[in-house]
């Protein structure tokens, strides 16, 4: 019911994904503690398939996946992971491999037999004149009937407002936008701009998906996703904090085998993950935009099941050490309330505050806070 967490092969490996990469990544997820932190899915994106169907059946590329998909899935299950695959609603996938159009029920059955737990379903090469929503419905219904619970992830890029209908065809998450790049502008466009409007449509078992995390990529990966040197550490912190506040699925796109320490610590941050996975499942809302000198700061917040409140203070501009405040009144609280403030990412108690809290936030950085009523402290 809570936002799925894991790794997806696309951002780093694109068409080069193979069994070795997947096995090494899973081993690295165990060694680094990411599996224990909750990153349970190992998902192969496009390019696992052979170039053509065989006797009408979808088959894997046997040169890249020597042991075969069912063996790989079984081994990953044995390590404690869930396993995801990718297909497409059209005749071909976006990368030109066979799509599931016209084969929905038999492909869903094959996925079930192979031990698939998650299906990302893409939106390329739809036959002209057909309503894409019907094709997503077909696969959604086929998955329901395939005899195995398979989480359905609709990758429709937000084209026909999937937040209005994707849950009704069985999807647990839906892309709200085109592909994310390892670039601040892309995080702003896919994340901050769209999630601000779409928060009301998500909740337990139905999540807005602003695409993968680019945290830790540093400009290394699939050239459809990387652009130059990638984001700064501050920008990665902001992406992670926003995705956690928004209850968005957390799929790491970086090469986990070569993740730098700062990115690993960020992605493993237990306080931020707890906000993302909070059982109320109320996605954060943008409650304020503050303009100063032509640059904005944004304040986001969400209530949590234990009665505390998560708040993100984001400096969207370049100014170093910008003051960003959240007033209790804007959170719906009595101005006289005393709240204990915790910096979640840096794991620091910032003391007791009245009326408001002001942080100093560097360019494109964030302060992710958790505010507790003093009586809740033990
Ligand atoms: C589309 C999707 C991406 C990725 C590629 C694979 O662009 O939006 O996330 O799955 O296809 O070809």
């Amino acid at each position: 019911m809570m936002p799925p967490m894991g790794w997806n092969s696309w951002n780093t490996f694109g068409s080069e994904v193979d069994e070795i990469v997947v096995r090494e990544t899973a081993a690295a997820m165990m060694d680094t503690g990411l599996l224990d932190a909750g990153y349970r899915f190992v998902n192969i994106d496009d390019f696992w398939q052979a170039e053509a169907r065989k006797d009408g059946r979808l088959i894997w590329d046997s040169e890249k996946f020597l042991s075969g998909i069912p063996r790989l899935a079984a081994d990953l299950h044995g390590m404690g992971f869930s396993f995801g695959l990718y297909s497409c609603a059209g005749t071909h996938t976006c990368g030109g491999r066979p799509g599931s159009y016209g084969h929905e029920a038999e492909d869903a059955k094959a996925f079930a037999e192979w031990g698939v737990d998650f299906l990302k379903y893409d939106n390329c090469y739809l036959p002209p004149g057909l309503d894409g929503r019907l094709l997503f419905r077909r696969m959604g219904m086929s998955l329901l009937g395939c005899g195995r619970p398979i989480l359905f992830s609709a990758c429709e890029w937000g084209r026909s407002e999937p937040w209005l209908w994707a849950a009704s065809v069985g999807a647990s998450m839906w892309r709200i936008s085109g592909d994310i790049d390892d670039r601040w502008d892309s995080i702003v466009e896919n994340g901050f701009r769209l999630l601000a409007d779409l928060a009301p449509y998500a909740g337990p078992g139905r999540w807005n998906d602003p695409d993968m995390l680019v945290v830790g990529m540093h400009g290394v990966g699939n050239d459809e996703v990387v652009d130059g040197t990638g984001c700064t550490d501050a920008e990665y912190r902001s992406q992670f904090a926003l995705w956690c506040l928004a209850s968005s699925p957390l799929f790491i796109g970086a090469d986990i085998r070569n993740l730098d320490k700062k990115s690993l610590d960020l992605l493993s941050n237990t306080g931020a993950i707890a906000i993302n996975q909070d059982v109320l499942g109320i996605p954060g809302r943008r409650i304020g935009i503050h303009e100063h000198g032509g640059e904005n700061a944004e304040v986001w917040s969400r209530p949590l099941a234990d009665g505390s409140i998560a708040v993100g203070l984001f400096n969207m501009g370049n100014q170093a050490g910008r003051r960003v405040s959240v007033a209790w009144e804007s959170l719906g609280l009595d101005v006289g309330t005393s709240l204990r403030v915790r910096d979640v990412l840096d794991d620091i108690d910032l003391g007791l505050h009245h009326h408001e809290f002001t942080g100093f936030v560097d360019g494109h950085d964030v302060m992710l806070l958790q505010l507790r009523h003093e009586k809740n402290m033990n």
Side-chain angles (χ1 to χ4, degrees):
M1 286 294 270
M2 293 305 120
M5 298 169 63
W7 170 82
N8 173 294
S9 61
W10 179 250
N11 279 12
T12 298
F13 300 99
S15 62
E16 305 291 304
V17 66
D18 64 16
E19 178 172 344
I20 293 168
V21 157
V22 174
R23 288 186 185 275
E24 288 181 356
T25 298
M29 288 170 84
M30 284 191 95
D31 293 348
T32 52
L34 286 169
L35 171 62
D36 288 340
Y39 295 90
R40 169 164 80 84
F41 286 97
V42 170
N43 287 0
I44 307 177
D45 207 281
D46 206 352
F47 292 99
W48 62 268
Q49 317 87 333
E51 284 183 18
R53 287 178 178 267
K54 192 173 174 210
D55 305 325
R57 282 178 299 118
L58 195 56
I59 50 168
W60 54 87
D61 182 329
S62 55
E63 279 174 25
K64 291 164 120 194
F65 293 91
L66 285 181
S67 9
I69 293 290
R71 180 76 255 161
L72 179 58
D75 290 347
L76 291 170
H77 289 151
M79 295 166 79
F81 290 101
S82 297
F83 174 64
L85 271 189
Y86 161 103
S87 193
C88 185
T91 54
H92 294 84
T93 69
C94 298
R97 298 293 162 112
S100 287
Y101 173 70
H103 298 272
E104 292 85 353
E106 62 196 81
D107 288 357
K109 272 197 87 198
F111 298 146
E113 281 163 19
W114 298 348
V116 172
D117 306 296
F118 181 113
L119 182 70
K120 171 174 170 180
Y121 207 48
D122 215 340
N123 198 38
C124 284
Y125 298 104
L126 305 194
L130 266 180
D131 183 345
R133 289 173 293 188
L134 175 66
L135 300 183
F136 280 87
R137 182 181 295 277
R138 276 195 202 159
M139 183 49 92
M141 296 307 111
S142 300
L143 291 175
L144 279 177
C146 78
R148 181 181 174 90
I150 298 183
L151 193 152
F152 188 31
S153 163
C155 178
E156 190 263 4
W157 316 318
R159 287 276 169 86
S160 336
E161 304 180 310
W163 43 90
L164 297 179
W165 54 267
S168 76
V169 305
S172 300
M173 54 190 272
W174 47 81
R175 281 274 294 275
I176 58 173
S177 59
D179 296 359
I180 201 154
D181 296 336
D182 186 11
R183 223 168 15 93
W184 174 245
D185 289 353
S186 180
I187 293 171
V188 173
E189 185 61 22
N190 276 30
F192 288 91
R193 196 179 71 75
L194 292 171
L195 288 169
D197 292 334
L198 299 176
Y201 299 99
R206 36 183 303 151
W207 308 111
N208 288 316
D209 174 13
D211 207 1
M212 267 85 77
L213 294 166
V214 290
V215 175
M217 289 186 70
H218 297 291
V220 178
N222 174 1
D223 61 13
E224 294 194 32
V225 176
V226 298
D227 191 6
T229 54
C231 294
T232 63
D233 288 331
E235 292 165 347
Y236 289 141
R237 282 158 58 93
S238 288
Q239 188 197 20
F240 191 62
L242 181 68
W243 267 233
C244 288
L245 280 166
S247 276
S248 286
L250 299 179
F251 280 93
I252 300 170
D255 184 350
I256 295 181
R257 304 167 309 174
N258 296 305
L259 209 51
D260 64 287
K261 167 103 173 60
K262 263 191 193 156
S263 300
L264 176 61
D265 288 349
L266 177 63
L267 293 164
S268 314
N269 186 281
T270 46
I273 292 172
I275 292 170
N276 176 264
Q277 297 287 307
D278 184 75
V279 294
L280 280 185
I282 299 178
R285 306 287 292 263
R286 185 167 64 198
I287 58 166
I289 303 184
H290 309 295
E291 199 265 353
H292 179 75
E295 294 193 327
N296 285 340
E298 296 192 7
V299 181
W300 290 62
S301 83
R302 66 179 285 182
L304 300 172
D306 66 356
S308 65
I309 301 174
V311 171
L313 306 179
F314 294 93
N315 177 356
M316 306 303 288
N318 294 306
Q319 190 195 320
R322 177 175 173 164
R323 289 168 64 93
V324 190
S325 300
V326 54
W328 291 183
E329 200 178 7
S330 69
L331 298 169
L333 300 175
D334 195 283
V335 287
T337 313
S338 304
L339 295 174
R340 185 160 291 275
V341 179
R342 182 158 201 89
D343 179 327
V344 175
L345 294 182
D346 292 339
D347 198 18
I348 301 170
D349 183 349
L350 299 173
L352 207 54
H353 292 260
H354 312 279
H355 310 295
E356 64 168 20
F357 175 83
T358 299
F360 297 88
V361 188
D362 284 338
H364 297 182
D365 207 344
V366 60
M367 251 177 131
L368 180 62
L369 307 172
Q370 194 161 355
L371 316 183
R372 285 179 198 280
H373 292 274
E374 189 62 350
K375 63 178 165 22
N376 287 343
M377 293 295 293
N378 44 37

